[in-house]
Amino acid sequence: MELTLKELEAACQSCRNCPLGKTRTNLVFGVGVPDAKVMFVGEGPGAQEDAQGKPFVGQSGQLLDKYLAVIDLDRSKNIYIGNMVKCRPPQNRDPKPEETEACLPWLRKQVKCLRPKIIVCLGRIAAQRLISPDFRVTRQHGQFIEKGGILFMGTFHPAALLRNPAQKADALSDFQALRDKLEALGIK
Ligand code: URA
């Protein structure tokens, strides 16, 4: 039997597959619409996300929403946003590989439920796990790679863009490439 996203989230509340479940405030499972054709995957919740239980609600989330708006995407209308790990790593450190692996079954279940046509990896952690271990965002951003019937694309993490605004033009062209791909696939 396949669970709905809501049922999956409820089941994930009690997950203790890794130690992050003990230190988090709120589970950050994901937000968006259940018929999303595009899924965005970040790294893991930060302080604000942990406090609110929603992904990308801090400064980097506000920047992400701006890029999404340029190409008519909106978390309340036509996409889904999640993270590699659903619980905040303390002090905003990178999730450890064993934490990412422990959380991966939840991401797989989300993907199975949503059946997105495109998955956009926000930053190195997601791109190296979901696309290729040697993925280099600065070199391979914006390229679409088909895996198992889903198109994957890696782009800059919005937090990286806040630290390094010189990369914003490249990020914008990645979002425009995403819009072009959606149009080519007849998705709107
Ligand atoms: N950074 C991420 O990777 N995910 C979030 O949800 C917030 C910040």
Side-chain angles (χ1 to χ4, degrees):
M1 187 198 61
E2 270 203 24
L3 300 183
T4 64
L5 281 169
K6 279 217 167 94
E7 288 166 338
L8 273 181
E9 180 168 357
C12 192
Q13 290 287 355
S14 55
C15 174
R16 294 293 181 270
N17 288 352
C18 83
L20 299 181
K22 288 195 205 105
T23 51
R24 67 145 203 251
T25 310
N26 285 298
L27 174 73
V28 180
F29 191 68
V31 292
V33 298
D35 60 346
K37 299 286 182 281
V38 190
M39 179 179 192
F40 290 80
V41 182
E43 188 178 308
Q48 310 226 30
E49 289 76 21
D50 181 58
Q52 295 186 41
K54 294 189 188 121
F56 286 100
V57 288
Q59 246 196 319
S60 61
Q62 285 162 25
L63 182 60
L64 174 62
D65 284 340
K66 283 190 194 162
Y67 282 92
L68 293 171
V70 171
I71 58 166
D72 284 329
L73 296 180
D74 184 316
R75 58 176 84 196
S76 66
K77 293 197 187 109
N78 47 18
I79 59 166
Y80 190 88
I81 309 179
N83 278 307
M84 294 303 295
V85 295
K86 299 341 186 207
C87 299
R88 183 192 182 201
Q91 279 88 46
N92 293 346
R93 63 161 169 76
D94 285 353
K96 296 179 184 166
E98 61 269 29
E99 293 161 350
T100 304
E101 290 314 305
C103 211
L104 206 57
W106 293 111
L107 184 65
R108 288 212 176 96
K109 285 177 189 153
Q110 285 174 306
V111 170
K112 211 169 160 203
C113 208
L114 281 162
R115 298 163 52 82
K117 299 269 186 258
I118 298 179
I119 294 181
V120 178
C121 299
L122 297 168
R124 174 182 58 86
I125 300 271
Q128 290 192 341
R129 185 60 188 84
L130 301 182
I131 302 175
S132 152
D134 55 3
F135 192 92
R136 297 285 303 273
V137 176
T138 45
R139 289 198 201 139
Q140 289 163 279
H141 67 91
Q143 297 174 11
F144 289 89
I145 297 138
E146 197 265 349
K147 281 180 86 179
I150 299 175
L151 285 174
F152 287 79
M153 188 256 267
T155 188
F156 301 88
H157 192 289
L161 297 175
L162 290 171
R163 286 193 301 271
N164 187 1
Q167 291 171 325
K168 283 184 175 180
D170 280 344
L172 186 60
S173 68
D174 292 349
F175 277 76
Q176 284 161 343
L178 173 61
R179 179 182 57 197
D180 293 347
K181 183 61 79 178
L182 289 170
E183 275 172 18
L185 295 173
I187 299 169
K188 208 65 254 306

